[in-house]
């Protein structure tokens, strides 16, 4: 069972020690960078950020950061974004990525920060694992590319409940 838990003083160091395999380091920002982004977003009030540790039972296996914005740069209107999803290298290729993505979608469908019609995410064009994972979860590429050169995909929440 996959659960998300808030980052706290008690689990922060463990979260910062999580790392992806060497060949994946160009695909996802570090947890340190992600938490710094969350802090700046909170301070500047630009968007609502939701960083969590990902757990399988009692074991921290990864990190996820979601955002909510009243107006998404690629779709207008209120939406959520799965901005980061990483699993520690020792927990990859076990189906946890799929479980964590479904847990994120289920969490977002509770509209924790406000109603929205869609969930966005992005990934490197050559990250075949991420592309296959997100496609299997219902995300569809929009044809857009974000400021980092990543492909943008969307999951429409209307009628998908």
């Amino acid at each position: 069972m996959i659960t998300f838990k808030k980052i706290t003083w008690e689990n922060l160091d463990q979260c910062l020690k999580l790392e992806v395999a060497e060949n994946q380091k160009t695909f996802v920002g570090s947890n340190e960078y992600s938490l710094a982004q969350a802090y700046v977003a909170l301070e500047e009030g630009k968007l609502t950020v939701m960083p969590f540790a990902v757990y399988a039972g009692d074991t921290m296996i990864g990190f996820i950061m979601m955002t909510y914005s009243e107006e998404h740069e690629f779709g207008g209107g209120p939406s959520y974004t799965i901005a980061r999803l990483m699993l520690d290298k020792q927990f990859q290729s076990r189906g946890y990525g799929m479980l964590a993505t479904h847990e994120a979608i289920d969490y977002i469908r509770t509209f924790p920060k406000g109603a929205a019609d869609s969930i966005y995410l992005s990934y490197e064009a050559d990250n075949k694992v991420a592309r296959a994972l997100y496609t299997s979860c219902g995300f569809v590429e929009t044809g857009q590319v974000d400021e980092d050169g990543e492909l943008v995909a969307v999951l429409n929440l209307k009628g998908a409940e």
Side-chain angles (χ1 to χ4, degrees), residues 105-121:
I105 294 167
D106 289 346
Y107 175 72
I108 289 169
R109 282 191 174 134
T110 70
F111 304 120
K113 303 299 178 181
D117 294 332
S118 54
I119 305 170
Y120 286 88
L121 52 73

Side-chain angles (χ1 to χ4, degrees), residues 107-154:
Y107 175 72
I108 289 169
R109 282 191 174 134
T110 70
F111 304 120
K113 303 299 178 181
D117 294 332
S118 54
I119 305 170
Y120 286 88
L121 52 73
S122 64
Y123 45 82
E124 298 276 344
D126 57 345
N127 188 343
K128 293 179 175 132
V129 173
R131 179 181 255 164
L133 167 65
Y134 297 132
T135 299
S136 73
C137 291
F139 286 86
V140 177
E141 290 180 5
T142 66
Q144 299 162 307
V145 177
D146 72 9
E147 67 275 359
D148 295 323
E150 294 184 348
L151 303 176
V152 176
V154 64

Side-chain angles (χ1 to χ4, degrees), residues 46-47 67-81 111 114-120 154 157-158:
K46 289 192 174 197
L47 55 112
T67 67
Y68 173 77
S69 178
E70 289 290 330
E71 190 169 321
H72 194 276
E73 63 182 304
F74 292 111
S79 64
Y80 288 85
T81 299
F111 304 120
D117 294 332
S118 54
I119 305 170
Y120 286 88
V154 64
L157 294 174
K158 278 188 174 179

Side-chain angles (χ1 to χ4, degrees), residues 15-132:
C15 181
L16 295 176
K17 290 177 185 173
L18 297 172
E19 61 181 10
V20 295
E22 192 64 37
N23 66 335
Q24 298 171 327
K25 289 189 177 181
T26 61
F27 293 149
V28 64
S30 70
N31 293 349
E32 294 91 344
Y33 183 72
S34 297
L35 289 170
Q37 283 182 312
Y39 173 79
V40 171
L42 175 67
E43 287 296 308
E44 292 187 357
K46 289 192 174 197
L47 55 112
T48 302
V49 182
M50 299 161 281
F52 295 101
V54 178
Y55 283 81
D58 293 330
T59 304
M60 185 186 298
I61 63 167
F63 173 81
I64 188 166
M65 186 166 74
M66 296 169 275
T67 67
Y68 173 77
S69 178
E70 289 290 330
E71 190 169 321
H72 194 276
E73 63 182 304
F74 292 111
S79 64
Y80 288 85
T81 299
I82 300 174
R84 297 280 191 290
L85 173 59
M86 69 79 65
L87 296 176
D88 187 84
K89 59 188 172 190
Q90 66 178 325
F91 297 104
Q92 294 179 6
S93 300
R94 298 185 187 183
Y96 290 131
M98 175 78 69
L99 292 172
T101 302
H102 283 294
E103 183 67 21
I105 294 167
D106 289 346
Y107 175 72
I108 289 169
R109 282 191 174 134
T110 70
F111 304 120
K113 303 299 178 181
D117 294 332
S118 54
I119 305 170
Y120 286 88
L121 52 73
S122 64
Y123 45 82
E124 298 276 344
D126 57 345
N127 188 343
K128 293 179 175 132
V129 173
R131 179 181 255 164

